[in-house]
Amino acid sequence: GPDRLLAAGLTRTAIVTGASSGIGQACAVRLARAGWRVLAGVRREGDAPEGTEEVLLDVTDAEQIRGVADRVDELNGLVNNAGIGVVGAFEATSMATVREVFETNTFGVMAMTQAAVPMFRERRSGDRRAARGPGRPGCSRRRHRAGW
């Protein structure tokens, strides 16, 4: 089981953003049950799923991203799931709200990936999982490689 893997030093490590609910939570729980060390990125203390290591992580905060990356010696996977949605008429949506959505859903994903890629490249392997998006179910088995 997972405890035996941990004791033998065979545990793989993943960071899951947006792990407090929904797809991110399901991915974090699934990975933890499979024996992974899961750093569950949440914005509020106490929101991480059971069996994971809670890390306070706002993907728009460079200092918090560095802090999470510093906790990892070897990274095997990244699930970029943090995101926000806006419901309403486009013309009624303020540009401040649009910018907030892009900061989280686009630039946050890019910042997390930039933090992870050097660790993947160092090992010459690693998975980035698309947890959401058009045509991509949660915790997709599709792997995205960046030439390492």
Side-chain angles (χ1 to χ4, degrees), residues 6 9 15 35 42 44-45 47 57 63 72 85 105 107-108 141 147:
L6 185 61
I15 298 170
V42 298
R44 287 183 306 273
E45 198 170 319
D47 280 356
L57 178 61
E63 189 173 311
V72 179
N105 296 359
F107 302 127
R141 292 195 182 272

Side-chain angles (χ1 to χ4, degrees), residues 81-106:
N81 178 70
I84 56 176
V86 176
V87 178
F90 175 74
E91 68 275 12
T93 304
S94 72
M95 287 307 295
T97 299
V98 172
R99 285 184 178 89
E100 180 184 9
V101 169
F102 270 82
E103 280 295 327
T104 302
N105 296 359
T106 302

Side-chain angles (χ1 to χ4, degrees), residues 17-113:
T17 69
S20 62
S21 63
I23 294 169
Q25 182 180 54
C27 287
V29 168
R30 181 175 176 177
L31 288 167
R33 286 185 182 154
W36 287 64
R37 174 187 178 216
V38 177
L39 297 170
V42 298
R43 290 187 300 160
R44 287 183 306 273
E45 198 170 319
D47 280 356
E50 192 173 321
T52 66
E53 293 179 39
E54 180 174 271
V55 291
L56 294 181
L57 178 61
D58 178 336
V59 298
T60 67
D61 185 323
E63 189 173 311
Q64 286 186 4
I65 292 170
R66 270 192 304 280
V68 171
D70 288 346
R71 289 183 59 171
V72 179
D73 291 328
E74 185 175 293
L75 184 65
N76 306 97
L78 170 63
V79 178
N80 269 317
N81 178 70
I84 56 176
V86 176
V87 178
F90 175 74
E91 68 275 12
T93 304
S94 72
M95 287 307 295
T97 299
V98 172
R99 285 184 178 89
E100 180 184 9
V101 169
F102 270 82
E103 280 295 327
T104 302
N105 296 359
T106 302
F107 302 127
V109 169
M110 293 171 71
M112 287 301 303
T113 303

